[in-house]
Amino acid sequence: MFTKMKNIDSAFRYVRGFTMLVIVGCVMICCYTVYKSFESVSQTRDKVYILANGKALEAYASDRRDNVPVEARDHVRTFHKLFFTLDPDDKVIKTNITKALYLADDSAKRIYDDLKENGFYSGIISGNISQTIQIDSVAIDIKEYPYRFSCYAKQNIIRTTSISKRNLITTGSLRNVSRSDNNPHGFLIERWETIENRDIGVENRK
């Protein structure tokens, strides 16, 4: 009789231990499943799909702070290309300058007004002159806000008989503003000034 009771008690402890092991295993599996589900949802939220030319392109969202140097450099490059790329066409000049002025404050507007008043743009049109710019580098200091920048570039002034080459260095600072279609990077150039703009050579056209 005691032997039967002992066997029943051992069997009960075995079943109870096995049941507890199964329960712990199920809880661990459930917790792991929930964790992976949240992780998967979080990764999905960071994905952005962009429709371009009828194709869905996948991109990843990231913190703005991670991309400040890259976006700031591209903002400065875009502004300088728009402001200094000129052709002997009044509409082209107005279009480029208008786009450029969305990216900067009144310091750029004052320079534009001075050039216009001095007949610079009229001379471009009447002389059939084109001007292009090649950005060598853009240095951004993100240690302090507003972010200071320096832009180093070369200008080509293309005339009928020659191409003048000029060295251009400008400085300014970048302030955060709201993003828009006219200002996709969300920066505004402030206190923009030209440090150097000198001739470095003339090449005769054949």
Side-chain angles (χ1 to χ4, degrees):
M1 174 116 183
F2 289 109
T3 302
K4 290 182 179 180
M5 291 289 292
K6 188 175 181 180
N7 290 339
I8 292 173
D9 187 56
S10 298
F12 177 75
R13 286 200 300 271
Y14 174 77
V15 171
R16 183 177 63 183
F18 180 76
T19 303
M20 292 297 296
L21 185 63
V22 170
I23 293 174
V24 170
C26 291
V27 170
M28 291 178 65
I29 292 173
C30 290
C31 290
Y32 178 76
T33 303
V34 171
Y35 168 75
K36 294 300 288 184
S37 298
F38 276 109
E39 186 180 52
S40 177
V41 170
S42 178
Q43 290 177 352
T44 303
R45 287 177 179 173
D46 288 339
K47 291 181 181 178
V48 180
Y49 292 92
I50 303 170
L51 188 63
N53 297 325
K55 297 180 180 179
L57 305 178
E58 185 179 8
Y60 287 89
S62 61
D63 197 316
R64 178 180 172 85
R65 290 175 296 180
D66 299 335
N67 293 321
V68 163
V70 175
E71 290 198 64
R73 281 193 293 269
D74 192 60
H75 184 89
V76 173
R77 288 175 183 272
T78 301
F79 168 77
H80 283 78
K81 286 182 179 179
L82 290 171
F83 195 90
F84 289 104
T85 300
L86 305 172
D87 283 310
D89 187 317
D90 186 54
K91 289 184 178 180
V92 172
I93 293 173
K94 286 183 178 178
T95 298
N96 285 352
I97 295 297
T98 299
K99 290 178 180 178
L101 294 181
Y102 277 114
L103 309 179
D105 68 356
D106 59 348
S107 60
K109 180 66 164 58
R110 286 196 301 270
I111 293 176
Y112 166 69
D113 290 339
D114 290 342
L115 291 172
K116 186 176 181 180
E117 186 176 341
N118 292 330
F120 175 75
Y121 298 107
S122 299
I124 290 284
I125 296 171
S126 62
N128 288 322
I129 298 171
S130 294
Q131 180 176 281
T132 62
I133 185 170
Q134 178 183 348
I135 310 296
D136 294 330
S137 64
V138 178
I140 305 288
D141 182 6
I142 61 171
K143 295 178 181 177
E144 293 184 6
Y145 179 82
Y147 312 120
R148 294 290 301 171
F149 74 84
S150 296
C151 179
Y152 305 88
K154 298 286 190 307
Q155 288 178 277
N156 289 328
I157 301 172
I158 306 169
R159 297 181 174 86
T160 305
T161 58
S162 65
I163 300 176
S164 299
K165 298 181 182 295
R166 299 180 67 86
N167 196 56
L168 177 69
I169 302 175
T170 67
T171 63
S173 59
L174 293 171
R175 173 168 62 89
N176 292 326
V177 295
S178 300
R179 296 176 189 263
S180 68
D181 290 339
N182 295 318
N183 190 342
H185 292 302
F187 289 112
L188 189 72
I189 294 175
E190 297 182 316
R191 297 186 291 277
W192 183 56
E193 58 180 334
T194 300
I195 301 300
E196 180 181 298
N197 190 7
R198 61 179 176 86
D199 290 326
I200 57 175
V202 178
E203 177 184 329
N204 293 325
R205 296 184 65 188
K206 297 179 180 180

